[in-house]
Amino acid sequence: MVEDKKLLIAGIDNGSTKGYALLDLNGELIRISSSKKYTLASLTKEISKEGKIVKIGTDVNSCPQFIKKLATSLNSSIYIPKENIQVKKKNQLSRDYLRDKKLRDKIKLKDHHQRDALATAILTLKSLNPLLNKINNHLNQKSMKHLSEDVIEKVILEKIPISLAIND
């Protein structure tokens, strides 16, 4: 793992205007943005500056080609929901997140692309939580918490079993 590169989750809203939201593995919002000008190259460059993206989420069940290409360029895995995420759920997830993190007065979502990206990032992180908890429990039992990010990266990206990633 590259030193000082924080492990992140990216929620991506694909379309003519692209939105993205980056969360760290503790669920803290690192960055959120949207633009009509994002290309694969510019979005890859922008989000990779913030850290190592371990999982990219989309809000539709049929994963867009752009998301697949972005995941490949970032060497990330993809979260695809079982069904398309409805607008009502995206509104609720983003509203509850901003309230719970006490960010409602600090962060104003500029458009529905940012809302969709944030909701997708939240669901992507939730999908990883059981695995993250399992990894952290293994590390705590072995008093190896300091290896957390290395082990998480190996398990998620390289699909190595937790026990092997710890002993690697």
Side-chain angles (χ1 to χ4, degrees), residues 98 101-109:
L98 293 174
K101 296 288 185 180
K102 298 179 177 32
L103 295 173
R104 276 199 298 200
D105 295 332
K106 297 175 185 163
I107 295 176
K108 299 288 183 218
L109 301 179

Side-chain angles (χ1 to χ4, degrees), residues 74-143:
L74 294 167
N75 190 30
S76 301
S77 62
I78 303 173
Y79 164 77
I80 301 170
K82 289 184 175 117
E83 55 190 36
N84 293 348
I85 305 167
Q86 300 301 312
V87 171
K88 183 176 180 181
K89 184 168 185 169
K90 293 179 205 179
N91 283 330
Q92 180 183 354
L93 283 166
S94 57
R95 185 177 52 246
D96 291 352
Y97 175 87
L98 293 174
R99 182 196 65 226
D100 294 347
K101 296 288 185 180
K102 298 179 177 32
L103 295 173
R104 276 199 298 200
D105 295 332
K106 297 175 185 163
I107 295 176
K108 299 288 183 218
L109 301 179
K110 294 179 184 164
D111 51 40
H112 70 274
H113 305 289
Q114 290 184 7
R115 176 210 59 206
D116 292 359
L118 179 58
T120 300
I122 293 163
L123 289 173
T124 302
L125 181 59
K126 282 184 179 182
S127 77
L128 272 181
N129 277 337
L131 179 58
L132 296 174
N133 289 336
K134 193 173 180 181
I135 292 168
N136 286 325
N137 287 339
H138 277 271
L139 291 170
N140 285 337
Q141 288 172 1
K142 296 181 181 283
S143 299

Side-chain angles (χ1 to χ4, degrees), residues 15-166:
S16 57
T17 298
K18 292 175 179 31
Y20 75 86
L22 301 177
L23 301 178
D24 68 17
L25 297 182
N26 295 315
E28 298 302 317
L29 182 63
I30 303 302
R31 186 138 199 235
I32 191 164
S33 181
S34 59
S35 174
K36 286 184 181 274
K37 296 180 181 179
Y38 287 137
T39 63
L40 179 62
S42 67
L43 190 57
T44 299
K45 183 178 179 183
E46 186 164 322
I47 65 178
S48 62
K49 283 191 292 191
E50 301 295 334
K52 172 67 181 141
I53 311 301
V54 293
K55 197 147 195 122
I56 293 176
T58 179
D59 60 352
V60 292
N61 178 260
S62 177
C63 186
Q65 216 39 47
F66 182 86
I67 302 290
K68 291 177 184 176
K69 289 178 181 177
L70 184 62
T72 299
S73 71
L74 294 167
N75 190 30
S76 301
S77 62
I78 303 173
Y79 164 77
I80 301 170
K82 289 184 175 117
E83 55 190 36
N84 293 348
I85 305 167
Q86 300 301 312
V87 171
K88 183 176 180 181
K89 184 168 185 169
K90 293 179 205 179
N91 283 330
Q92 180 183 354
L93 283 166
S94 57
R95 185 177 52 246
D96 291 352
Y97 175 87
L98 293 174
R99 182 196 65 226
D100 294 347
K101 296 288 185 180
K102 298 179 177 32
L103 295 173
R104 276 199 298 200
D105 295 332
K106 297 175 185 163
I107 295 176
K108 299 288 183 218
L109 301 179
K110 294 179 184 164
D111 51 40
H112 70 274
H113 305 289
Q114 290 184 7
R115 176 210 59 206
D116 292 359
L118 179 58
T120 300
I122 293 163
L123 289 173
T124 302
L125 181 59
K126 282 184 179 182
S127 77
L128 272 181
N129 277 337
L131 179 58
L132 296 174
N133 289 336
K134 193 173 180 181
I135 292 168
N136 286 325
N137 287 339
H138 277 271
L139 291 170
N140 285 337
Q141 288 172 1
K142 296 181 181 283
S143 299
M144 299 174 84
K145 188 74 174 137
H146 62 284
L147 296 177
S148 180
E149 291 209 344
D150 287 332
V151 172
I152 289 168
E153 187 173 354
K154 287 176 185 173
V155 170
I156 295 172
L157 296 178
E158 298 173 27
K159 301 192 182 346
I160 294 174
I162 296 169
S163 57
L164 289 177
I166 290 172

